[in-house]
PDB file of all heavy atoms in Angstrom:
ATOM      1  N   ILE A   1       0.824  -1.253   0.023  1.00 87.00           N
ATOM      2  CA  ILE A   1       0.011   0.002   0.031  1.00 87.00           C
ATOM      3  C   ILE A   1       0.853   1.304  -0.002  1.00 87.00           C
ATOM      4  O   ILE A   1       0.269   2.335  -0.303  1.00 87.00           O
ATOM      5  CB  ILE A   1      -1.046  -0.038   1.114  1.00 87.00           C
ATOM      6  CG1 ILE A   1      -0.229   0.051   2.495  1.00 87.00           C
ATOM      7  CG2 ILE A   1      -2.018  -1.074   1.063  1.00 87.00           C
ATOM      8  CD1 ILE A   1      -1.178   0.205   3.740  1.00 87.00           C
ATOM      9  N   SER A   2       2.101   1.097   0.193  1.00 83.00           N
ATOM     10  CA  SER A   2       2.917   2.375   0.343  1.00 83.00           C
ATOM     11  C   SER A   2       4.311   2.026  -0.134  1.00 83.00           C
ATOM     12  O   SER A   2       5.312   1.816   0.594  1.00 83.00           O
ATOM     13  CB  SER A   2       3.020   2.799   1.804  1.00 83.00           C
ATOM     14  OG  SER A   2       3.779   4.069   1.896  1.00 83.00           O
ATOM     15  N   PRO A   3       4.463   1.797  -1.479  1.00 76.00           N
ATOM     16  CA  PRO A   3       5.734   1.357  -2.041  1.00 76.00           C
ATOM     17  C   PRO A   3       6.845   2.367  -1.831  1.00 76.00           C
ATOM     18  O   PRO A   3       6.531   3.595  -1.834  1.00 76.00           O
ATOM     19  CB  PRO A   3       5.412   1.148  -3.560  1.00 76.00           C
ATOM     20  CG  PRO A   3       4.166   1.853  -3.759  1.00 76.00           C
ATOM     21  CD  PRO A   3       3.476   2.017  -2.418  1.00 76.00           C
ATOM     22  N   THR A   4       8.004   1.984  -1.600  1.00 75.00           N
ATOM     23  CA  THR A   4       9.216   2.840  -1.369  1.00 75.00           C
ATOM     24  C   THR A   4       9.575   3.703  -2.563  1.00 75.00           C
ATOM     25  O   THR A   4      10.119   4.749  -2.442  1.00 75.00           O
ATOM     26  CB  THR A   4      10.444   2.061  -0.920  1.00 75.00           C
ATOM     27  OG1 THR A   4      10.803   1.153  -1.980  1.00 75.00           O
ATOM     28  CG2 THR A   4      10.246   1.340   0.322  1.00 75.00           C
ATOM     29  N   ASN A   5       8.996   3.414  -3.772  1.00 73.00           N
ATOM     30  CA  ASN A   5       9.275   4.070  -4.994  1.00 73.00           C
ATOM     31  C   ASN A   5       8.303   5.150  -5.222  1.00 73.00           C
ATOM     32  O   ASN A   5       8.357   5.785  -6.286  1.00 73.00           O
ATOM     33  CB  ASN A   5       9.532   3.239  -6.136  1.00 73.00           C
ATOM     34  CG  ASN A   5       8.215   2.420  -6.503  1.00 73.00           C
ATOM     35  OD1 ASN A   5       7.263   2.481  -5.689  1.00 73.00           O
ATOM     36  ND2 ASN A   5       8.122   1.918  -7.620  1.00 73.00           N
ATOM     37  N   GLY A   6       7.450   5.437  -4.345  1.00 68.00           N
ATOM     38  CA  GLY A   6       6.443   6.477  -4.562  1.00 68.00           C
ATOM     39  C   GLY A   6       5.160   6.176  -3.955  1.00 68.00           C
ATOM     40  O   GLY A   6       5.007   5.396  -3.034  1.00 68.00           O
ATOM     41  N   ASN A   7       4.082   6.900  -4.491  1.00 65.00           N
ATOM     42  CA  ASN A   7       2.803   6.673  -3.922  1.00 65.00           C
ATOM     43  C   ASN A   7       2.125   5.405  -4.525  1.00 65.00           C
ATOM     44  O   ASN A   7       2.535   4.909  -5.555  1.00 65.00           O
ATOM     45  CB  ASN A   7       1.881   7.862  -4.342  1.00 65.00           C
ATOM     46  CG  ASN A   7       2.198   9.054  -3.571  1.00 65.00           C
ATOM     47  OD1 ASN A   7       2.773   9.017  -2.443  1.00 65.00           O
ATOM     48  ND2 ASN A   7       1.877  10.272  -4.122  1.00 65.00           N
ATOM     49  N   TYR A   8       1.178   5.016  -3.863  1.00 69.00           N
ATOM     50  CA  TYR A   8       0.419   3.786  -4.199  1.00 69.00           C
ATOM     51  C   TYR A   8      -0.291   4.116  -5.737  1.00 69.00           C
ATOM     52  O   TYR A   8      -0.862   5.191  -5.938  1.00 69.00           O
ATOM     53  CB  TYR A   8      -0.798   3.482  -3.237  1.00 69.00           C
ATOM     54  CG  TYR A   8      -1.523   2.240  -3.538  1.00 69.00           C
ATOM     55  CD1 TYR A   8      -0.921   1.046  -3.528  1.00 69.00           C
ATOM     56  CD2 TYR A   8      -2.869   2.433  -3.927  1.00 69.00           C
ATOM     57  CE1 TYR A   8      -1.710  -0.115  -3.875  1.00 69.00           C
ATOM     58  CE2 TYR A   8      -3.584   1.224  -4.283  1.00 69.00           C
ATOM     59  CZ  TYR A   8      -2.961  -0.059  -4.186  1.00 69.00           C
ATOM     60  OH  TYR A   8      -3.673  -1.148  -4.527  1.00 69.00           O
ATOM     61  N   THR A   9      -0.270   3.100  -6.546  1.00 69.00           N
ATOM     62  CA  THR A   9      -0.735   3.322  -7.949  1.00 69.00           C
ATOM     63  C   THR A   9      -2.238   3.179  -8.068  1.00 69.00           C
ATOM     64  O   THR A   9      -2.767   3.515  -9.159  1.00 69.00           O
ATOM     65  CB  THR A   9      -0.119   2.284  -8.907  1.00 69.00           C
ATOM     66  OG1 THR A   9      -0.354   1.036  -8.401  1.00 69.00           O
ATOM     67  CG2 THR A   9       1.423   2.625  -8.879  1.00 69.00           C
ATOM     68  N   GLY A  10      -3.015   2.639  -7.046  1.00 68.00           N
ATOM     69  CA  GLY A  10      -4.402   2.518  -7.113  1.00 68.00           C
ATOM     70  C   GLY A  10      -4.878   1.293  -7.631  1.00 68.00           C
ATOM     71  O   GLY A  10      -6.063   1.166  -8.027  1.00 68.00           O
ATOM     72  N   ASN A  11      -4.007   0.243  -7.598  1.00 84.00           N
ATOM     73  CA  ASN A  11      -4.422  -1.098  -8.023  1.00 84.00           C
ATOM     74  C   ASN A  11      -4.832  -1.953  -6.817  1.00 84.00           C
ATOM     75  O   ASN A  11      -3.974  -2.601  -6.329  1.00 84.00           O
ATOM     76  CB  ASN A  11      -3.368  -1.700  -8.975  1.00 84.00           C
ATOM     77  CG  ASN A  11      -3.742  -2.999  -9.493  1.00 84.00           C
ATOM     78  OD1 ASN A  11      -4.954  -3.475  -9.332  1.00 84.00           O
ATOM     79  ND2 ASN A  11      -2.882  -3.691 -10.187  1.00 84.00           N
ATOM     80  N   TYR A  12      -6.077  -1.938  -6.566  1.00 92.00           N
ATOM     81  CA  TYR A  12      -6.506  -2.726  -5.415  1.00 92.00           C
ATOM     82  C   TYR A  12      -6.416  -4.315  -5.661  1.00 92.00           C
ATOM     83  O   TYR A  12      -6.556  -5.162  -4.707  1.00 92.00           O
ATOM     84  CB  TYR A  12      -8.043  -2.402  -5.150  1.00 92.00           C
ATOM     85  CG  TYR A  12      -8.283  -1.079  -4.529  1.00 92.00           C
ATOM     86  CD1 TYR A  12      -9.500  -0.461  -4.275  1.00 92.00           C
ATOM     87  CD2 TYR A  12      -7.129  -0.251  -4.088  1.00 92.00           C
ATOM     88  CE1 TYR A  12      -9.681   0.768  -3.782  1.00 92.00           C
ATOM     89  CE2 TYR A  12      -7.286   0.945  -3.569  1.00 92.00           C
ATOM     90  CZ  TYR A  12      -8.606   1.553  -3.392  1.00 92.00           C
ATOM     91  OH  TYR A  12      -8.852   2.732  -2.769  1.00 92.00           O
ATOM     92  N   GLU A  13      -6.062  -4.720  -6.905  1.00 92.00           N
ATOM     93  CA  GLU A  13      -5.985  -6.096  -7.245  1.00 92.00           C
ATOM     94  C   GLU A  13      -4.736  -6.655  -6.571  1.00 92.00           C
ATOM     95  O   GLU A  13      -4.632  -7.847  -6.362  1.00 92.00           O
ATOM     96  CB  GLU A  13      -5.847  -6.340  -8.779  1.00 92.00           C
ATOM     97  CG  GLU A  13      -7.004  -5.864  -9.561  1.00 92.00           C
ATOM     98  CD  GLU A  13      -8.390  -6.444  -9.025  1.00 92.00           C
ATOM     99  OE1 GLU A  13      -8.468  -7.711  -8.869  1.00 92.00           O
ATOM    100  OE2 GLU A  13      -9.400  -5.695  -8.920  1.00 92.00           O
ATOM    101  N   ASP A  14      -3.812  -5.827  -6.166  1.00 89.00           N
ATOM    102  CA  ASP A  14      -2.563  -6.154  -5.464  1.00 89.00           C
ATOM    103  C   ASP A  14      -2.806  -6.626  -3.987  1.00 89.00           C
ATOM    104  O   ASP A  14      -1.970  -7.197  -3.447  1.00 89.00           O
ATOM    105  CB  ASP A  14      -1.532  -5.001  -5.426  1.00 89.00           C
ATOM    106  CG  ASP A  14      -1.042  -4.618  -6.746  1.00 89.00           C
ATOM    107  OD1 ASP A  14      -1.178  -5.415  -7.694  1.00 89.00           O
ATOM    108  OD2 ASP A  14      -0.584  -3.573  -6.945  1.00 89.00           O
ATOM    109  N   MET A  15      -3.987  -6.292  -3.509  1.00 92.00           N
ATOM    110  CA  MET A  15      -4.264  -6.581  -2.083  1.00 92.00           C
ATOM    111  C   MET A  15      -4.898  -7.858  -1.899  1.00 92.00           C
ATOM    112  O   MET A  15      -5.850  -8.249  -2.617  1.00 92.00           O
ATOM    113  CB  MET A  15      -5.200  -5.499  -1.546  1.00 92.00           C
ATOM    114  CG  MET A  15      -4.655  -4.042  -1.643  1.00 92.00           C
ATOM    115  SD  MET A  15      -5.873  -2.899  -1.035  1.00 92.00           S
ATOM    116  CE  MET A  15      -4.917  -1.352  -1.396  1.00 92.00           C
ATOM    117  N   ASP A  16      -4.364  -8.639  -0.919  1.00 93.00           N
ATOM    118  CA  ASP A  16      -5.004  -9.889  -0.567  1.00 93.00           C
ATOM    119  C   ASP A  16      -6.145  -9.722   0.435  1.00 93.00           C
ATOM    120  O   ASP A  16      -6.430  -8.578   0.901  1.00 93.00           O
ATOM    121  CB  ASP A  16      -3.980 -10.846  -0.038  1.00 93.00           C
ATOM    122  CG  ASP A  16      -3.390 -10.522   1.255  1.00 93.00           C
ATOM    123  OD1 ASP A  16      -3.765  -9.443   1.955  1.00 93.00           O
ATOM    124  OD2 ASP A  16      -2.440 -11.283   1.796  1.00 93.00           O
ATOM    125  N   PHE A  17      -6.761 -10.798   0.792  1.00 93.00           N
ATOM    126  CA  PHE A  17      -8.004 -10.824   1.555  1.00 93.00           C
ATOM    127  C   PHE A  17      -7.661 -10.141   2.942  1.00 93.00           C
ATOM    128  O   PHE A  17      -8.456  -9.337   3.411  1.00 93.00           O
ATOM    129  CB  PHE A  17      -8.550 -12.278   1.740  1.00 93.00           C
ATOM    130  CG  PHE A  17      -9.853 -12.315   2.507  1.00 93.00           C
ATOM    131  CD1 PHE A  17     -11.029 -12.454   1.811  1.00 93.00           C
ATOM    132  CD2 PHE A  17      -9.827 -12.196   3.924  1.00 93.00           C
ATOM    133  CE1 PHE A  17     -12.203 -12.554   2.442  1.00 93.00           C
ATOM    134  CE2 PHE A  17     -11.082 -12.240   4.596  1.00 93.00           C
ATOM    135  CZ  PHE A  17     -12.263 -12.386   3.792  1.00 93.00           C
ATOM    136  N   SER A  18      -6.620 -10.587   3.522  1.00 93.00           N
ATOM    137  CA  SER A  18      -6.244 -10.109   4.871  1.00 93.00           C
ATOM    138  C   SER A  18      -6.051  -8.547   4.913  1.00 93.00           C
ATOM    139  O   SER A  18      -6.572  -7.906   5.778  1.00 93.00           O
ATOM    140  CB  SER A  18      -5.040 -10.800   5.482  1.00 93.00           C
ATOM    141  OG  SER A  18      -5.322 -12.232   5.639  1.00 93.00           O
ATOM    142  N   LEU A  19      -5.382  -8.167   3.975  1.00 95.00           N
ATOM    143  CA  LEU A  19      -5.059  -6.671   3.866  1.00 95.00           C
ATOM    144  C   LEU A  19      -6.266  -5.866   3.614  1.00 95.00           C
ATOM    145  O   LEU A  19      -6.572  -4.841   4.195  1.00 95.00           O
ATOM    146  CB  LEU A  19      -3.941  -6.360   2.837  1.00 95.00           C
ATOM    147  CG  LEU A  19      -3.647  -4.948   2.521  1.00 95.00           C
ATOM    148  CD1 LEU A  19      -3.140  -4.269   3.921  1.00 95.00           C
ATOM    149  CD2 LEU A  19      -2.631  -4.762   1.477  1.00 95.00           C
ATOM    150  N   LEU A  20      -7.195  -6.493   2.725  1.00 96.00           N
ATOM    151  CA  LEU A  20      -8.424  -5.773   2.357  1.00 96.00           C
ATOM    152  C   LEU A  20      -9.300  -5.643   3.695  1.00 96.00           C
ATOM    153  O   LEU A  20      -9.853  -4.570   4.045  1.00 96.00           O
ATOM    154  CB  LEU A  20      -9.206  -6.584   1.362  1.00 96.00           C
ATOM    155  CG  LEU A  20      -8.592  -6.398  -0.008  1.00 96.00           C
ATOM    156  CD1 LEU A  20      -9.255  -7.519  -0.965  1.00 96.00           C
ATOM    157  CD2 LEU A  20      -8.886  -5.025  -0.598  1.00 96.00           C
ATOM    158  N   TYR A  21      -9.360  -6.691   4.505  1.00 96.00           N
ATOM    159  CA  TYR A  21     -10.145  -6.659   5.685  1.00 96.00           C
ATOM    160  C   TYR A  21      -9.559  -5.634   6.702  1.00 96.00           C
ATOM    161  O   TYR A  21     -10.332  -4.838   7.291  1.00 96.00           O
ATOM    162  CB  TYR A  21     -10.098  -8.028   6.396  1.00 96.00           C
ATOM    163  CG  TYR A  21     -10.865  -8.044   7.759  1.00 96.00           C
ATOM    164  CD1 TYR A  21     -12.213  -8.174   7.751  1.00 96.00           C
ATOM    165  CD2 TYR A  21     -10.134  -8.062   8.919  1.00 96.00           C
ATOM    166  CE1 TYR A  21     -12.931  -8.192   8.956  1.00 96.00           C
ATOM    167  CE2 TYR A  21     -10.799  -8.040  10.140  1.00 96.00           C
ATOM    168  CZ  TYR A  21     -12.072  -8.072  10.186  1.00 96.00           C
ATOM    169  OH  TYR A  21     -12.784  -8.087  11.369  1.00 96.00           O
ATOM    170  N   VAL A  22      -8.322  -5.607   6.890  1.00 96.00           N
ATOM    171  CA  VAL A  22      -7.655  -4.639   7.694  1.00 96.00           C
ATOM    172  C   VAL A  22      -8.002  -3.088   7.274  1.00 96.00           C
ATOM    173  O   VAL A  22      -8.361  -2.375   8.093  1.00 96.00           O
ATOM    174  CB  VAL A  22      -6.084  -4.789   7.803  1.00 96.00           C
ATOM    175  CG1 VAL A  22      -5.461  -3.685   8.499  1.00 96.00           C
ATOM    176  CG2 VAL A  22      -5.738  -6.088   8.646  1.00 96.00           C
ATOM    177  N   LEU A  23      -7.867  -2.895   5.968  1.00 96.00           N
ATOM    178  CA  LEU A  23      -8.129  -1.562   5.377  1.00 96.00           C
ATOM    179  C   LEU A  23      -9.642  -1.221   5.582  1.00 96.00           C
ATOM    180  O   LEU A  23     -10.083  -0.214   6.048  1.00 96.00           O
ATOM    181  CB  LEU A  23      -7.793  -1.475   4.077  1.00 96.00           C
ATOM    182  CG  LEU A  23      -6.266  -1.613   3.741  1.00 96.00           C
ATOM    183  CD1 LEU A  23      -5.970  -1.623   2.301  1.00 96.00           C
ATOM    184  CD2 LEU A  23      -5.526  -0.503   4.430  1.00 96.00           C
ATOM    185  N   LEU A  24     -10.452  -2.157   5.334  1.00 97.00           N
ATOM    186  CA  LEU A  24     -11.934  -1.896   5.461  1.00 97.00           C
ATOM    187  C   LEU A  24     -12.390  -1.605   6.855  1.00 97.00           C
ATOM    188  O   LEU A  24     -13.209  -0.776   7.240  1.00 97.00           O
ATOM    189  CB  LEU A  24     -12.772  -3.130   4.919  1.00 97.00           C
ATOM    190  CG  LEU A  24     -12.781  -3.191   3.419  1.00 97.00           C
ATOM    191  CD1 LEU A  24     -13.292  -4.668   2.984  1.00 97.00           C
ATOM    192  CD2 LEU A  24     -13.605  -2.165   2.740  1.00 97.00           C
ATOM    193  N   ARG A  25     -11.686  -2.311   7.851  1.00 96.00           N
ATOM    194  CA  ARG A  25     -11.995  -2.224   9.232  1.00 96.00           C
ATOM    195  C   ARG A  25     -11.416  -0.897   9.759  1.00 96.00           C
ATOM    196  O   ARG A  25     -12.036  -0.251  10.715  1.00 96.00           O
ATOM    197  CB  ARG A  25     -11.337  -3.423   9.932  1.00 96.00           C
ATOM    198  CG  ARG A  25     -11.547  -3.322  11.355  1.00 96.00           C
ATOM    199  CD  ARG A  25     -10.924  -4.635  11.936  1.00 96.00           C
ATOM    200  NE  ARG A  25     -10.969  -4.592  13.362  1.00 96.00           N
ATOM    201  CZ  ARG A  25     -10.831  -5.548  14.264  1.00 96.00           C
ATOM    202  NH1 ARG A  25     -10.737  -6.890  13.806  1.00 96.00           N
ATOM    203  NH2 ARG A  25     -10.773  -5.426  15.518  1.00 96.00           N
ATOM    204  N   ASN A  26     -10.261  -0.495   9.347  1.00 95.00           N
ATOM    205  CA  ASN A  26      -9.597   0.663   9.953  1.00 95.00           C
ATOM    206  C   ASN A  26      -9.558   1.960   9.272  1.00 95.00           C
ATOM    207  O   ASN A  26      -9.399   2.956   9.971  1.00 95.00           O
ATOM    208  CB  ASN A  26      -8.096   0.140  10.201  1.00 95.00           C
ATOM    209  CG  ASN A  26      -8.076  -0.889  11.195  1.00 95.00           C
ATOM    210  OD1 ASN A  26      -8.282  -0.664  12.421  1.00 95.00           O
ATOM    211  ND2 ASN A  26      -7.673  -2.066  10.832  1.00 95.00           N
ATOM    212  N   ILE A  27      -9.660   2.003   8.029  1.00 95.00           N
ATOM    213  CA  ILE A  27      -9.553   3.367   7.346  1.00 95.00           C
ATOM    214  C   ILE A  27     -10.764   3.785   6.530  1.00 95.00           C
ATOM    215  O   ILE A  27     -10.752   4.877   6.006  1.00 95.00           O
ATOM    216  CB  ILE A  27      -8.328   3.486   6.510  1.00 95.00           C
ATOM    217  CG1 ILE A  27      -8.393   2.534   5.254  1.00 95.00           C
ATOM    218  CG2 ILE A  27      -7.026   3.182   7.370  1.00 95.00           C
ATOM    219  CD1 ILE A  27      -7.230   2.817   4.214  1.00 95.00           C
ATOM    220  N   THR A  28     -11.772   2.923   6.451  1.00 96.00           N
ATOM    221  CA  THR A  28     -13.058   3.322   5.679  1.00 96.00           C
ATOM    222  C   THR A  28     -14.062   3.940   6.590  1.00 96.00           C
ATOM    223  O   THR A  28     -13.874   3.988   7.798  1.00 96.00           O
ATOM    224  CB  THR A  28     -13.608   2.199   4.955  1.00 96.00           C
ATOM    225  OG1 THR A  28     -14.091   1.248   5.954  1.00 96.00           O
ATOM    226  CG2 THR A  28     -12.636   1.371   4.062  1.00 96.00           C
ATOM    227  N   SER A  29     -15.093   4.426   5.982  1.00 96.00           N
ATOM    228  CA  SER A  29     -16.145   5.017   6.830  1.00 96.00           C
ATOM    229  C   SER A  29     -17.163   4.024   7.277  1.00 96.00           C
ATOM    230  O   SER A  29     -18.184   4.317   7.810  1.00 96.00           O
ATOM    231  CB  SER A  29     -16.885   6.197   5.998  1.00 96.00           C
ATOM    232  OG  SER A  29     -17.404   5.643   4.845  1.00 96.00           O
ATOM    233  N   ILE A  30     -16.930   2.670   6.922  1.00 97.00           N
ATOM    234  CA  ILE A  30     -17.876   1.639   7.354  1.00 97.00           C
ATOM    235  C   ILE A  30     -17.893   1.522   8.785  1.00 97.00           C
ATOM    236  O   ILE A  30     -16.887   1.325   9.554  1.00 97.00           O
ATOM    237  CB  ILE A  30     -17.469   0.380   6.643  1.00 97.00           C
ATOM    238  CG1 ILE A  30     -17.487   0.516   5.153  1.00 97.00           C
ATOM    239  CG2 ILE A  30     -18.389  -0.807   7.172  1.00 97.00           C
ATOM    240  CD1 ILE A  30     -16.782  -0.670   4.458  1.00 97.00           C
ATOM    241  N   ARG A  31     -19.071   1.607   9.373  1.00 97.00           N
ATOM    242  CA  ARG A  31     -19.291   1.471  10.885  1.00 97.00           C
ATOM    243  C   ARG A  31     -19.249   0.014  11.202  1.00 97.00           C
ATOM    244  O   ARG A  31     -19.709  -0.822  10.526  1.00 97.00           O
ATOM    245  CB  ARG A  31     -20.653   2.130  11.326  1.00 97.00           C
ATOM    246  CG  ARG A  31     -20.624   3.654  11.052  1.00 97.00           C
ATOM    247  CD  ARG A  31     -21.942   4.133  11.593  1.00 97.00           C
ATOM    248  NE  ARG A  31     -21.957   5.616  11.685  1.00 97.00           N
ATOM    249  CZ  ARG A  31     -21.552   6.312  12.692  1.00 97.00           C
ATOM    250  NH1 ARG A  31     -21.112   5.823  13.841  1.00 97.00           N
ATOM    251  NH2 ARG A  31     -21.538   7.615  12.567  1.00 97.00           N
ATOM    252  N   PRO A  32     -18.715  -0.185  12.501  1.00 97.00           N
ATOM    253  CA  PRO A  32     -18.702  -1.619  13.008  1.00 97.00           C
ATOM    254  C   PRO A  32     -20.144  -2.117  13.114  1.00 97.00           C
ATOM    255  O   PRO A  32     -21.076  -1.371  13.364  1.00 97.00           O
ATOM    256  CB  PRO A  32     -18.064  -1.532  14.250  1.00 97.00           C
ATOM    257  CG  PRO A  32     -17.489  -0.199  14.403  1.00 97.00           C
ATOM    258  CD  PRO A  32     -18.073   0.774  13.427  1.00 97.00           C
ATOM    259  N   HIS A  33     -20.410  -3.458  12.947  1.00 97.00           N
ATOM    260  CA  HIS A  33     -21.629  -3.956  13.195  1.00 97.00           C
ATOM    261  C   HIS A  33     -21.955  -3.990  14.673  1.00 97.00           C
ATOM    262  O   HIS A  33     -21.084  -3.594  15.534  1.00 97.00           O
ATOM    263  CB  HIS A  33     -21.719  -5.366  12.615  1.00 97.00           C
ATOM    264  CG  HIS A  33     -20.756  -6.315  13.086  1.00 97.00           C
ATOM    265  ND1 HIS A  33     -20.933  -7.092  14.193  1.00 97.00           N
ATOM    266  CD2 HIS A  33     -19.588  -6.700  12.498  1.00 97.00           C
ATOM    267  CE1 HIS A  33     -19.856  -7.934  14.452  1.00 97.00           C
ATOM    268  NE2 HIS A  33     -19.103  -7.620  13.460  1.00 97.00           N
ATOM    269  N   ASN A  34     -23.196  -4.494  15.069  1.00 95.00           N
ATOM    270  CA  ASN A  34     -23.543  -4.347  16.537  1.00 95.00           C
ATOM    271  C   ASN A  34     -22.540  -5.007  17.455  1.00 95.00           C
ATOM    272  O   ASN A  34     -22.496  -4.520  18.569  1.00 95.00           O
ATOM    273  CB  ASN A  34     -25.014  -5.010  16.672  1.00 95.00           C
ATOM    274  CG  ASN A  34     -26.077  -4.179  15.980  1.00 95.00           C
ATOM    275  OD1 ASN A  34     -25.830  -3.041  15.645  1.00 95.00           O
ATOM    276  ND2 ASN A  34     -27.113  -4.828  15.495  1.00 95.00           N
ATOM    277  N   ASN A  35     -21.943  -6.103  17.125  1.00 97.00           N
ATOM    278  CA  ASN A  35     -21.159  -6.778  18.047  1.00 97.00           C
ATOM    279  C   ASN A  35     -19.555  -6.345  17.939  1.00 97.00           C
ATOM    280  O   ASN A  35     -18.802  -6.773  18.656  1.00 97.00           O
ATOM    281  CB  ASN A  35     -21.202  -8.389  17.892  1.00 97.00           C
ATOM    282  CG  ASN A  35     -22.506  -8.787  18.306  1.00 97.00           C
ATOM    283  OD1 ASN A  35     -23.244  -8.152  19.041  1.00 97.00           O
ATOM    284  ND2 ASN A  35     -22.986  -9.963  17.724  1.00 97.00           N
ATOM    285  N   GLY A  36     -19.362  -5.406  16.929  1.00 96.00           N
ATOM    286  CA  GLY A  36     -18.054  -4.886  16.772  1.00 96.00           C
ATOM    287  C   GLY A  36     -17.128  -5.767  15.868  1.00 96.00           C
ATOM    288  O   GLY A  36     -17.374  -7.027  15.735  1.00 96.00           O
ATOM    289  N   TRP A  37     -16.103  -5.115  15.211  1.00 96.00           N
ATOM    290  CA  TRP A  37     -15.272  -5.778  14.262  1.00 96.00           C
ATOM    291  C   TRP A  37     -14.504  -6.929  14.974  1.00 96.00           C
ATOM    292  O   TRP A  37     -14.264  -6.834  16.128  1.00 96.00           O
ATOM    293  CB  TRP A  37     -14.256  -4.800  13.754  1.00 96.00           C
ATOM    294  CG  TRP A  37     -14.701  -3.737  12.737  1.00 96.00           C
ATOM    295  CD1 TRP A  37     -14.804  -2.538  12.977  1.00 96.00           C
ATOM    296  CD2 TRP A  37     -15.101  -3.999  11.394  1.00 96.00           C
ATOM    297  NE1 TRP A  37     -15.327  -1.941  11.807  1.00 96.00           N
ATOM    298  CE2 TRP A  37     -15.427  -2.840  10.852  1.00 96.00           C
ATOM    299  CE3 TRP A  37     -15.080  -5.207  10.674  1.00 96.00           C
ATOM    300  CZ2 TRP A  37     -15.770  -2.770   9.530  1.00 96.00           C
ATOM    301  CZ3 TRP A  37     -15.588  -5.113   9.324  1.00 96.00           C
ATOM    302  CH2 TRP A  37     -15.960  -3.872   8.715  1.00 96.00           C
ATOM    303  N   GLY A  38     -14.387  -8.006  14.256  1.00 95.00           N
ATOM    304  CA  GLY A  38     -13.646  -9.172  14.900  1.00 95.00           C
ATOM    305  C   GLY A  38     -14.576 -10.099  15.642  1.00 95.00           C
ATOM    306  O   GLY A  38     -14.043 -11.217  16.107  1.00 95.00           O
ATOM    307  N   CYS A  39     -15.817  -9.827  15.776  1.00 96.00           N
ATOM    308  CA  CYS A  39     -16.750 -10.698  16.543  1.00 96.00           C
ATOM    309  C   CYS A  39     -17.874 -11.139  15.547  1.00 96.00           C
ATOM    310  O   CYS A  39     -18.159 -10.474  14.506  1.00 96.00           O
ATOM    311  CB  CYS A  39     -17.445  -9.917  17.681  1.00 96.00           C
ATOM    312  SG  CYS A  39     -16.337  -9.219  18.848  1.00 96.00           S
ATOM    313  N   ASP A  40     -18.493 -12.321  15.928  1.00 96.00           N
ATOM    314  CA  ASP A  40     -19.553 -12.713  15.184  1.00 96.00           C
ATOM    315  C   ASP A  40     -20.728 -11.838  15.147  1.00 96.00           C
ATOM    316  O   ASP A  40     -21.110 -11.370  16.177  1.00 96.00           O
ATOM    317  CB  ASP A  40     -20.153 -14.171  15.774  1.00 96.00           C
ATOM    318  CG  ASP A  40     -19.161 -15.315  15.600  1.00 96.00           C
ATOM    319  OD1 ASP A  40     -18.132 -15.089  14.885  1.00 96.00           O
ATOM    320  OD2 ASP A  40     -19.395 -16.313  16.188  1.00 96.00           O
ATOM    321  N   PRO A  41     -21.193 -11.457  14.073  1.00 97.00           N
ATOM    322  CA  PRO A  41     -22.319 -10.597  13.910  1.00 97.00           C
ATOM    323  C   PRO A  41     -23.674 -11.249  14.282  1.00 97.00           C
ATOM    324  O   PRO A  41     -23.735 -12.505  14.230  1.00 97.00           O
ATOM    325  CB  PRO A  41     -22.408 -10.135  12.440  1.00 97.00           C
ATOM    326  CG  PRO A  41     -21.720 -11.217  11.662  1.00 97.00           C
ATOM    327  CD  PRO A  41     -20.684 -11.854  12.621  1.00 97.00           C
ATOM    328  N   ASN A  42     -24.689 -10.602  14.767  1.00 96.00           N
ATOM    329  CA  ASN A  42     -25.915 -11.128  15.048  1.00 96.00           C
ATOM    330  C   ASN A  42     -26.512 -11.744  13.701  1.00 96.00           C
ATOM    331  O   ASN A  42     -26.335 -11.065  12.620  1.00 96.00           O
ATOM    332  CB  ASN A  42     -26.919 -10.072  15.558  1.00 96.00           C
ATOM    333  CG  ASN A  42     -26.490  -9.638  16.972  1.00 96.00           C
ATOM    334  OD1 ASN A  42     -25.820 -10.422  17.714  1.00 96.00           O
ATOM    335  ND2 ASN A  42     -26.699  -8.466  17.351  1.00 96.00           N
ATOM    336  N   PRO A  43     -27.244 -12.698  13.749  1.00 96.00           N
ATOM    337  CA  PRO A  43     -27.804 -13.337  12.492  1.00 96.00           C
ATOM    338  C   PRO A  43     -28.672 -12.310  11.682  1.00 96.00           C
ATOM    339  O   PRO A  43     -28.678 -12.403  10.508  1.00 96.00           O
ATOM    340  CB  PRO A  43     -28.762 -14.449  12.940  1.00 96.00           C
ATOM    341  CG  PRO A  43     -28.099 -14.891  14.278  1.00 96.00           C
ATOM    342  CD  PRO A  43     -27.600 -13.533  14.906  1.00 96.00           C
ATOM    343  N   GLY A  44     -29.418 -11.462  12.349  1.00 96.00           N
ATOM    344  CA  GLY A  44     -30.331 -10.552  11.527  1.00 96.00           C
ATOM    345  C   GLY A  44     -29.655  -9.217  11.097  1.00 96.00           C
ATOM    346  O   GLY A  44     -30.219  -8.460  10.444  1.00 96.00           O
TER     347      GLY A  44
END
């Protein structure tokens, strides 16, 4: 996400599942679900 040769080029295809999850959880505007990130969500 932060290559030493400059800025990120904007290719989200370079990101694997784990990195995507960390980014979605930590830097997006997506609010945590009722039980919070990292926990099982309620069925409904």
Side-chain angles (χ1 to χ4, degrees):
I1 62 173
S2 186
T4 56
N5 63 346
N7 287 336
Y8 183 68
T9 60
N11 185 1
Y12 289 171
E13 302 303 315
D14 296 340
M15 298 178 185
D16 66 3
F17 187 99
S18 298
L19 179 56
L20 289 164
Y21 177 79
V22 168
L23 295 173
L24 289 166
R25 177 178 172 161
N26 291 293
I27 68 168
T28 66
S29 62
I30 299 170
R31 294 185 170 270
H33 59 85
N34 293 337
N35 294 338
W37 288 110
C39 300
D40 289 352
N42 294 329

